[in-house]
Amino acid sequence: MPVTELTGEQRERYLRNVDVVGLGEEGQLRLLNSSVLVIGAGGLGSAALPYLAAAGVGRIGVVDGDVVELKNMQRQVLHTDLGRNKAESAAERLRLLNVDVEVAAYPEYLTPGRARTLFAEYDLMLDCTDTYGAKYLLSDAAAAVGVPLVWASAVGMQGQCSVFGVPDAFGDRLYLRDLFPEEPAAGDYPMATEIGVLGAMVGQIGALEACEAIKLLAGFGEPLVGRVMVLDARTARWSVLPLRKS
């Protein structure tokens, strides 16, 4: 059933959300009646997921076929149990964080067909994966279904974030292929296995994804549509790059 009014407990829980200019009680009700599918419960997902649940997003799906390993623990702070599936581990933590939130775990790797099926069941997608193959699969599926996608990438000391699938100032819906038309070949881009990845940097990018999702779902602020935000954590500099259909 749709939530039409905040309870007394919810008014206290979400008080600081409601106080934010532009969000208010109406925006909080939108959050409670919204749904997000987060693909990837690793470094990016570990930062994004708790903030989405704490903000009161009513239904959250978590997709990940991987299991928790010791080498993940430096940045994937949502997990504590080695050898456990990441989607199931994340879902359990989120349920403890906020009883208002319905959480579904999908302990699997998505195929193109499965992605399109799942995407049709949610209002918004978050790409928290860590391979270009997965990112192109998700972006193409989002474009096929016509749903918005908050995209991010993080490696070494650098991260990027944008919002795809929402009309820009020119009425165009941009996706990953508008930023990088072709998927790069293996070896053409650095991987965390080669140059590492700083956990605190990944956390900033994952939190930025959650912030963009909350703005989109609550209907306030100016999301990263037609723009790519880039973080160079080594020099502590943020920059914003324009993105056009051409």
Side-chain angles (χ1 to χ4, degrees):
M1 294 290 292
V3 180
T4 58
E5 186 177 354
L6 298 180
T7 66
E9 183 175 323
Q10 288 172 330
R11 290 181 187 278
E12 182 175 357
R13 176 185 287 272
Y14 304 118
L15 176 62
R16 295 296 178 254
N17 272 8
V18 172
D19 286 345
V20 172
V21 175
L23 199 159
E25 186 167 323
E26 184 177 340
Q28 186 60 54
L29 287 171
R30 289 196 193 103
L31 289 176
L32 288 165
N33 288 295
S34 66
S35 60
V36 173
L37 183 67
V38 178
I39 305 92
L44 292 169
S46 284
L49 282 162
Y51 283 115
L52 293 172
V57 174
R59 186 164 62 94
I60 299 175
V62 188
V63 181
D64 203 315
D66 200 7
V67 298
V68 180
E69 300 179 74
L70 187 58
K71 63 185 179 184
N72 302 147
M73 306 302 278
Q74 153 263 8
R75 65 198 180 281
Q76 300 181 19
V77 295
L78 196 56
H79 309 294
T80 56
D81 298 330
L82 296 179
R84 189 172 185 192
N85 172 265
K86 292 180 183 179
E88 294 175 343
S89 169
E92 181 177 284
R93 294 289 299 276
L94 298 183
R95 294 183 188 110
L96 293 173
L97 182 62
N98 191 346
V99 296
D100 286 339
V101 180
E102 176 188 338
V103 186
Y106 304 95
E108 60 188 277
Y109 295 108
L110 293 184
T111 63
R114 177 64 169 152
R116 288 192 293 271
T117 299
L118 268 184
F119 284 16
E121 299 175 6
Y122 288 83
D123 299 323
L124 178 67
M125 314 297 126
L126 258 69
D127 177 358
C128 294
T129 62
D130 60 1
T131 68
Y132 268 104
K135 292 183 180 301
Y136 278 86
L137 185 155
L138 300 181
S139 180
D140 291 348
V145 177
V147 295
L149 172 72
V150 180
W151 167 86
S153 178
V155 66
M157 293 283 285
Q158 295 185 329
Q160 307 168 44
C161 182
S162 189
V163 172
F164 297 148
V166 175
D168 64 10
F170 304 94
D172 295 319
R173 295 177 185 267
L174 307 176
Y175 287 94
L176 182 57
R177 293 189 186 276
D178 295 296
L179 180 60
F180 302 117
E182 299 295 332
E183 180 182 342
D188 286 352
Y189 56 92
M191 297 288 292
T193 53
E194 300 167 336
I195 66 170
V197 57
L198 187 68
M201 182 278 298
V202 176
Q204 292 181 73
I205 300 298
L208 178 59
E209 284 194 276
C211 186
E212 291 303 300
I214 290 166
K215 289 191 296 183
L216 287 166
L217 295 170
F220 79 108
E222 184 179 347
L224 280 169
V225 176
R227 298 176 294 152
V228 181
M229 182 166 281
V230 180
L231 168 65
D232 182 349
R234 191 175 299 278
T235 61
R237 288 187 173 89
W238 290 90
S239 55
V240 179
L241 308 178
L243 178 62
R244 288 287 306 276
K245 192 69 174 177
S246 59

